[in-house]
Amino acid sequence: MRVRLTLLLMFSWGASLAAATVDLTRASIVVRRGARPAVEHSAAAALAEEVEKRSGVKLPVRTEWPAQGPVIAITSVREAPEWGRAVPAGEMRAEGFRLLVEESGGAPVVWIAGADARGALYGAGHLLRQLEYGKGRIALHGPLDVKTAPKWKMRGHQVGYRTTANSWDAWTVAQFEQYIREQAFFGANSIEDIPFQEDRKNPLMKVPRREMTRAMSEICTRYGMDYWVWTPATVNLKDAAARNKLLVKFEEVFADAPSLTGVFVPGGDPGSNAPEDVLPFLAEVAARLRPVHPKAKVWLSLQGFNEQKAEVVYRWIDAGAPVWFGGIVNGPSSPPIPDTRHRLPAGVGLRLYPDVTHNKISQYEVPQWDQAFALTLGREAVNPRPAEYAAIHNRYAAMSDGFISYSDGVHDDVNKAVWSALAWDPERKVRDILIEYCRVHFWAAPAGETADAILALERNWRGSAVDNGAIEATLQEWLSLEKRAPELSGNWRWQMLVLRAVYDSYVRRRLMQDTALEERANAILAQAGPLGAEKAMTEAAAVLEEAVRQPAGAELRQRIVELCARLYESISLQTSVAKYHASGAERGAVLDFIDNPLNNRWWLEDEFKKVRAMAGEQEKVKRLVELARWEKPGEGSFYDDLGNIRKSPHVLYCDGEDCGPLFWWWDNGKSRARLSWQVTMWPRELVYEGLDPKARYVVRTTGYGQALLRADGQRVAPAVDGTEMAEYKEFPVPQAAVADGRLVLTWDKAANEEHLNWRRQSRLAEVWLLKR
């Protein structure tokens, strides 16, 4: 008979829980007597320890069934005679479990019946995600009977102990164990370490890297997780001495790791060896791997490979891949996932390597992102993107054997949980996953409201920040949650999300101020003739400097500084190079860009120096008026700053991959170049309506390299053909193209650039349609 459920008031923030629950405050965790798999032991220990952290309730772990009181029974076998009761029929699929609430002798029993030892661990994680925690109390909503198993066999995350990481390089072994345990809460079964790439000295590292390799492998063994290593070949493999030295490092890793499942050697990023050299090297790696870890496999990515190089690998596989070869890893700069799956023979593995960690210059860039965020929060800021990454997972997962994500820190923790949960069950709703994330990590806060606040953070980054008034509402929601859950003030996940809410609002307020100041400065410059060039520049500069003298959002700035300090203390999150030892400015150092101008102040200051060096007043005035009217070319003419969602009204944006803007990273994030040149894209179309059919128009562009323009499908040759970023191209528009009052501009792919590094390939920054 199912347990008779009782009513409890459980929420520590004071709200009533008007639903039936099972009171587990006085429960015992019961495990089998005798030898048990290490994972089953870890499941019970983790459950008891995590419950105590959240509620203060210490659940005893015992092997005897208590005479009275609630029980949480954990087992991975079908029979436990010493308990004197039958184990319910469970889930039989690998890594699955059954979580069932029953009544036994008048007391509730919560059964965690794993199909195997891993299943017992995942069942304990599932229970932790369902529990409601209060001070000195825990409860479970009932009735409950869940039978489930993972859809994909490979579900994991890269957790690399290296200098590049924005937090992990300062961690202890205990911190890694806690984090790896927490990944298992959502069904992750794989952890990928980075044992030797990067030799930079790091003052933050508390443990030698070889020692940490052993420790992380041991942790994975205790939790029944697969231990992988990411081991790039960054040396010239034709150099025998360098290759042999690298192979020695592989040998050390294989000897140090108690268990090892996979060795991932990226074809590129980093590394630039030809596949003809990489494939024999993999065989040498396998020859050293298999005697120590006979079941382990070697995996290869095609990152940075063009079609010809990828075909070399495909033909090698077609000829009969060796038994030590696990398959292909598909990550950033790889051939399209559908193409790879189609090209691989059946039975050859395909592992996804999704970049869940970066916001720009990455595999999955934030769509329709305001440039102001790109300039300040940058590439590796706290980035919960649950809905977007859920869509990406479900778009590609069916073509794969699973995933181990690309991550360089804790800032993407929400994204990891979403991928893990969906790889277990792709039918799950994003909000439900977030509610469980909030229950298990933010136990003192209302889970539903907090989940919605996380979703709001994702929406903060969609479209123009100035036009997104919801950014302020999101901040107020997080401030309200803070007041209602003061117990979470030291929780690093909570701190990160509050930081994002505050930072987003701070950027918006500064952006509105900087935009208004630049408009005022341009109005002054437009009057350079009557004012005189020198007076116009002096007055315009003074206006722009108001952002320094009286910055918007000063109180939010102070809160950001405080939160960054607390995050460094709580989880070693390195938000500044100088202050917190971040490995690079682009590695989450959001504190270092907190005061960057969000207008063209720096560029205008430099332009004023050039103007002052001009010989005559007339020349100076002409240039100042040109600067003033840069984005306002006059009646009947139009301007688009490509990639700037606020200033590109004629651009048709798309949400697909490889069709969004590229936010460039120049001068370590301190570039003084015009902001419109720091973001480029090849738009699908620019569409103009209501044109004068009798007028003559010219398309003017800035960018770099080629721009193969079509006007209504007709190729147009440039009359002016500048190729550097500050130079113009100009294209006369055929009269027939505007005869109907409508014009569509498109661009062909630049010719003969496949061999060029992406940084040297053509790009487009600005487009004017000028009425002559």
Side-chain angles (χ1 to χ4, degrees):
M1 186 176 71
R2 291 290 170 83
V3 65
R4 182 180 300 168
L5 304 176
T6 58
L7 291 177
L8 291 174
L9 299 178
M10 286 300 305
F11 291 98
S12 64
W13 57 87
S16 295
L17 176 61
T21 64
V22 180
D23 185 357
L24 296 175
T25 305
R26 301 184 182 280
S28 298
I29 298 174
V30 178
V31 297
R32 294 182 292 119
R33 250 196 319 257
R36 301 188 308 278
V39 188
E40 197 171 326
H41 174 83
S42 296
L47 180 60
E49 292 167 11
E50 298 301 327
V51 164
E52 184 175 8
K53 289 174 188 175
R54 289 155 177 77
S55 65
V57 174
K58 188 174 181 63
L59 300 180
V61 179
R62 56 183 61 176
T63 56
E64 298 82 17
W65 202 277
Q68 59 184 7
V71 168
I72 302 172
I74 303 176
T75 181
S76 62
V77 297
R78 303 283 74 81
E79 296 181 359
E82 67 270 25
W83 289 349
R85 64 204 70 230
V87 177
E91 171 65 61
M92 301 303 294
R93 292 170 293 174
E95 300 188 5
F97 61 87
R98 185 180 186 188
L99 181 60
L100 170 68
V101 178
E102 287 187 333
E103 182 182 341
S104 177
V109 177
V110 179
W111 288 98
I112 302 174
D116 45 35
R118 276 185 176 179
L121 176 68
Y122 298 133
H126 190 92
L127 177 59
L128 283 167
R129 285 156 33 206
Q130 308 309 312
L131 291 173
E132 299 286 357
Y133 305 92
K135 189 175 182 180
R137 293 170 297 181
I138 57 169
L140 177 65
H141 283 280
L144 186 67
D145 189 356
V146 176
K147 291 176 69 175
T148 182
K151 174 78 172 179
W152 281 275
K153 63 182 181 182
M154 189 187 305
R155 312 174 304 280
H157 304 286
Q158 193 176 79
V159 184
Y161 186 59
R162 61 170 177 167
T163 297
T164 299
N166 62 31
S167 45
W168 294 325
D169 52 338
W171 280 15
T172 63
V173 172
Q175 285 176 299
F176 273 110
E177 175 159 10
Q178 179 65 33
Y179 194 66
I180 291 170
R181 170 193 284 186
E182 289 166 350
Q183 300 315 303
F185 291 172
F186 286 85
N189 69 357
S190 302
I191 294 295
E192 187 165 74
D193 188 15
I194 300 177
F196 58 67
Q197 190 260 349
E198 239 183 9
D199 292 325
R200 283 185 288 171
K201 290 185 178 180
N202 187 336
L204 299 178
M205 282 188 170
K206 301 176 178 67
V207 181
R209 293 187 75 178
R210 286 192 66 180
E211 184 178 330
M212 187 62 82
T213 294
R214 288 191 291 271
M216 289 183 69
S217 179
E218 290 167 354
I219 292 167
C220 288
T221 300
R222 285 199 295 277
Y223 289 89
M225 302 180 81
D226 292 341
Y227 178 70
W228 286 63
V229 289
W230 182 84
T231 49
T234 55
V235 304
N236 181 0
L237 294 178
K238 292 183 182 296
D239 183 333
R243 186 178 71 250
N244 289 333
K245 185 177 179 180
L246 179 58
L247 286 168
V248 169
K249 292 184 178 181
F250 278 90
E251 291 172 350
E252 290 174 349
V253 172
F254 301 158
D256 290 343
S259 65
L260 185 59
T261 300
V263 177
F264 169 22
V265 180
D269 191 21
S272 57
N273 290 288
E276 291 85 355
D277 298 317
V278 172
L279 294 171
F281 177 72
L282 297 185
E284 292 182 283
V285 170
R288 289 155 175 79
L289 169 68
R290 300 285 281 185
V292 187
H293 301 283
K295 294 183 179 180
K297 302 283 188 179
V298 180
W299 293 69
L300 172 69
S301 76
L302 306 182
Q303 290 170 266
F305 283 14
N306 59 23
E307 291 183 16
Q308 292 74 28
K309 291 182 178 180
E311 189 59 29
V312 171
V313 178
Y314 293 143
R315 288 199 302 268
W316 176 80
I317 294 172
D318 290 341
V323 293
W324 50 259
F325 183 66
I328 294 295
V329 177
N330 191 290
S333 303
S334 293
I337 294 168
D339 294 356
T340 302
R341 180 67 277 171
H342 177 73
R343 186 62 183 79
L344 291 177
V348 175
L350 177 59
R351 169 195 143 182
L352 302 184
Y353 182 44
D355 180 355
V356 301
T357 209
H358 293 131
N359 309 316
K360 64 174 188 173
I361 315 179
S362 59
Q363 184 181 22
Y364 302 118
E365 297 180 330
V366 179
Q368 300 186 26
W369 205 28
D370 197 299
Q371 188 182 20
F373 292 132
L375 290 168
T376 51
L377 285 162
R379 188 170 184 243
E380 213 168 90
V382 176
N383 66 343
R385 295 161 60 185
E388 184 186 355
Y389 275 121
I392 292 169
H393 174 276
N394 288 346
R395 186 181 308 146
Y396 296 121
M399 306 177 202
S400 76
D401 296 287
F403 80 96
I404 300 177
S405 71
Y406 169 24
S407 174
D408 258 327
V410 296
H411 62 286
D412 56 16
D413 192 70
V414 168
N415 305 333
K416 290 190 182 87
V418 169
W419 270 77
S420 294
L422 289 173
W424 188 285
D425 179 3
E427 299 297 323
R428 299 214 58 198
K429 301 294 188 291
V430 172
R431 187 173 183 270
D432 292 342
I433 296 170
L434 293 180
I435 287 173
E436 292 185 356
Y437 182 90
C438 294
R439 277 203 204 110
V440 76
H441 292 308
F442 308 139
W443 54 91
E449 289 181 48
T450 309
D452 289 339
I454 294 173
L455 289 167
L457 287 176
E458 182 175 25
R459 290 191 293 272
N460 276 5
W461 279 5
R462 194 73 174 209
S464 164
V466 168
D467 298 333
N468 187 358
I471 290 174
E472 302 302 330
T474 300
L475 172 62
Q476 294 308 312
E477 176 64 14
W478 279 101
L479 295 179
S480 173
L481 288 168
E482 270 197 303
K483 291 179 181 177
R484 296 156 69 188
E487 305 95 320
L488 298 176
S489 63
N491 180 308
W492 62 265
R493 289 181 171 89
W494 186 261
Q495 291 168 349
M496 287 199 309
L497 298 173
V498 173
L499 171 63
R500 255 294 308 283
V502 176
Y503 207 121
D504 287 357
S505 177
Y506 172 71
V507 168
R508 181 173 184 265
R509 296 181 195 188
R510 285 194 55 237
L511 177 61
M512 291 191 291
Q513 180 188 41
D514 280 6
T515 301
L517 292 178
E518 186 170 357
E519 288 175 354
R520 285 171 52 198
N522 284 334
I524 294 170
L525 295 177
Q527 297 300 312
L531 286 175
E534 185 57 41
K535 184 176 182 181
M537 288 187 287
T538 300
E539 291 185 4
V543 168
L544 294 170
E545 280 294 317
E546 288 182 24
V548 179
R549 296 192 303 273
Q550 298 175 323
E555 73 287 354
L556 296 180
R557 185 188 187 283
Q558 182 56 37
R559 186 75 202 284
I560 291 166
V561 172
E562 293 169 358
L563 284 165
C564 288
R566 290 166 62 189
L567 277 161
Y568 184 69
E569 294 171 2
S570 62
I571 202 62
S572 303
L573 188 66
Q574 296 144 35
T575 54
S576 169
V577 174
K579 196 170 184 179
Y580 299 125
H581 312 288
S583 64
E586 79 281 17
R587 296 293 177 178
V590 299
L591 206 53
D592 293 346
F593 305 102
I594 194 170
D595 297 320
N596 271 24
L598 301 179
N599 58 17
N600 287 299
R601 171 162 58 90
W602 283 351
W603 180 70
L604 286 170
E605 289 171 351
D606 294 343
E607 288 300 309
F608 291 167
K609 292 177 183 177
K610 296 175 185 177
V611 170
R612 288 188 170 100
M614 292 176 178
E617 178 70 7
Q618 185 175 358
E619 185 183 8
K620 293 178 181 180
V621 169
K622 179 181 178 183
R623 179 57 176 167
L624 292 178
V625 172
E626 182 182 6
L627 296 177
R629 296 176 179 172
W630 193 281
E631 298 178 7
K632 297 181 178 180
E635 184 72 24
S637 297
F638 308 96
Y639 170 81
D640 284 84
D641 176 358
L642 303 185
N644 186 327
I645 194 69
R646 290 176 284 115
K647 297 181 179 182
S648 50
H650 301 96
V651 174
L652 292 187
Y653 283 89
C654 59
D655 287 343
E657 298 154 40
D658 302 323
C659 68
L662 176 58
F663 296 101
W664 291 87
W665 178 259
W666 297 334
D667 301 327
N668 241 6
K670 297 290 184 178
S671 174
R672 298 176 68 88
R674 182 173 175 81
L675 296 188
S676 54
W677 300 340
Q678 296 184 49
V679 54
T680 62
M681 69 178 294
W682 291 108
R684 187 176 65 182
E685 292 180 347
L686 264 72
V687 180
Y688 303 88
E689 305 278 3
L691 301 180
D692 182 349
K694 297 180 180 180
R696 291 195 175 275
Y697 290 91
V698 171
V699 173
R700 174 186 290 169
T701 67
T702 61
Y704 176 84
Q706 306 174 47
L708 307 181
L709 175 67
R710 290 184 181 271
D712 281 4
Q714 179 182 344
R715 274 289 292 273
V716 183
V720 177
D721 196 16
T723 58
E724 296 299 323
M725 182 57 79
E727 298 174 349
Y728 293 141
K729 293 181 187 291
E730 292 192 351
F731 305 81
V733 178
Q735 194 70 34
V738 295
D740 60 354
R742 186 175 190 269
L743 176 65
V744 177
L745 301 182
T746 57
W747 283 262
D748 292 347
K749 184 178 180 180
N752 303 316
E753 291 193 343
E754 293 81 3
H755 65 289
L756 294 179
N757 180 278
W758 62 272
R759 293 177 177 85
R760 303 301 302 170
Q761 293 177 354
S762 296
R763 50 189 180 269
L764 193 63
E766 299 168 289
V767 177
W768 291 261
L769 181 63
L770 303 175
K771 183 179 181 181
R772 295 302 195 192

